[in-house]
Amino acid sequence: MKNFVILERRLFMRNIVKGLMVTSLMASSVVYADNMYVSVGGGIGKIPTVTSTRDFPLLLKSPGIYATDINSIKLDFKNSKNFTGAVGYQFGDMRSEIAVSSIKANYKQFSQEGFYYFPSDCLSGKIAANSMFLNGYYDFDFSETLTPYLGVGVGFSKIKNTIYHSGLHNYVDDVFTALPVFKAEMNQTLPSYQLIAGTKINLTSQLSLTVDYRLFGTIKNMKALNSKLYNHSINIGLTFGF
């Protein structure tokens, strides 16, 4: 009789353990269900000041217009606008996705040395980086509502610098004649990366709100500025799982 009671207790404990294991697996499948998803998002960012020793914007020089080199130039940007979209797959606590992104910002101010003939306020322009990334994420099991994550992406970016110069004049027979606004574009495709840290707020079993910080960077220098391009941004998005 005593042995029967002991055996019954052991069977009861085994059933409890099995029940806890099944419950745990069910809970983890709710948090990390394997599924495809799409996401969209956007935000604002800031491109750090670029310091260049190249003769920018003299890379755009036309014969007889530019004659003096710029020793150095500092270029400040207005806040950038950022847009992202992705298609991915969740497997366990990890995700992988193919993503596209766009970063756009206007030039804010030129500070130059060695070329004072035309004032800096005659110069204006903008920069755009259109990218494609392969991103990978790790999701942390924090709670049913909040899921912090870390991510990294590698890919390529098409960088487009556009400059306008409104201070050009033609000099003939001691007479200065204003020339039309000069526009030039410099395009380049560069390898790039991004680092991501954020949190998913699970609104429903399929829909999540995301808030994250992203650091974008090019691996090589831009020819136009002889400098790498970086962008720090805060983005808000929506993720829908199928």
Side-chain angles (χ1 to χ4, degrees), residues 21-231:
M21 291 177 65
V22 171
T23 302
S24 176
L25 289 172
M26 290 178 62
S28 64
S29 66
V30 171
V31 178
Y32 297 129
D34 290 358
N35 65 292
M36 290 190 64
Y37 65 88
V38 294
S39 65
V40 293
I44 59 172
K46 187 65 177 177
I47 298 175
T49 299
V50 170
T51 301
S52 176
T53 56
R54 286 186 82 110
D55 54 349
F56 177 80
L58 303 185
L59 289 172
L60 315 173
K61 62 178 97 175
S62 298
I65 295 180
Y66 300 109
T68 306
D69 289 340
I70 289 178
N71 295 329
S72 66
I73 184 171
K74 290 184 179 180
L75 179 58
D76 293 312
F77 299 85
K78 295 182 179 180
N79 290 337
S80 62
K81 298 177 182 179
N82 311 281
F83 301 95
T84 63
V87 176
Y89 190 81
Q90 174 98 42
F91 46 97
D93 54 3
M94 301 185 72
R95 290 180 284 138
S96 63
E97 65 181 28
I98 296 176
V100 293
S101 70
S102 174
I103 300 171
K104 297 181 179 180
N106 291 329
Y107 298 163
K108 182 179 180 181
Q109 182 180 3
F110 290 87
S111 301
Q112 58 192 23
E113 297 178 2
F115 188 65
Y116 301 103
Y117 189 72
F118 296 121
S120 296
D121 57 9
C122 293
L123 303 174
S124 61
K126 57 187 177 181
I127 192 170
N130 297 313
S131 309
M132 177 172 285
F133 288 104
L134 176 62
N135 296 329
Y137 297 88
Y138 184 85
D139 293 336
F140 295 90
D141 185 7
F142 183 75
S143 70
E144 292 186 1
T145 304
L146 298 178
T147 306
Y149 57 85
L150 294 175
V152 61
V154 292
F156 290 90
S157 301
K158 183 177 181 181
I159 311 297
K160 181 178 180 180
N161 276 285
T162 305
I163 186 170
Y164 303 92
H165 201 322
S166 61
L168 298 178
H169 292 74
N170 192 19
Y171 181 70
V172 178
D173 296 332
D174 298 330
V175 177
F176 281 98
T177 304
L179 296 175
V181 175
F182 179 64
K183 175 186 176 181
E185 295 179 348
M186 294 159 285
N187 299 321
Q188 187 179 13
T189 300
L190 295 173
S192 54
Y193 66 91
Q194 60 178 348
L195 304 176
I196 307 166
T199 298
K200 284 196 299 183
I201 302 171
N202 304 312
L203 304 177
T204 68
S205 60
Q206 292 180 297
L207 185 64
S208 299
L209 176 70
T210 60
V211 180
D212 58 41
Y213 160 80
R214 299 186 179 221
L215 168 63
F216 165 89
T218 58
I219 297 175
K220 295 182 178 180
N221 288 352
M222 297 177 286
K223 289 181 179 179
L225 301 175
N226 193 31
S227 174
K228 294 181 177 65
L229 176 66
Y230 297 101
N231 183 64

Side-chain angles (χ1 to χ4, degrees), residues 226-239:
N226 193 31
S227 174
K228 294 181 177 65
L229 176 66
Y230 297 101
N231 183 64
H232 304 270
S233 63
I234 299 295
N235 296 276
I236 298 175
L238 289 173
T239 299

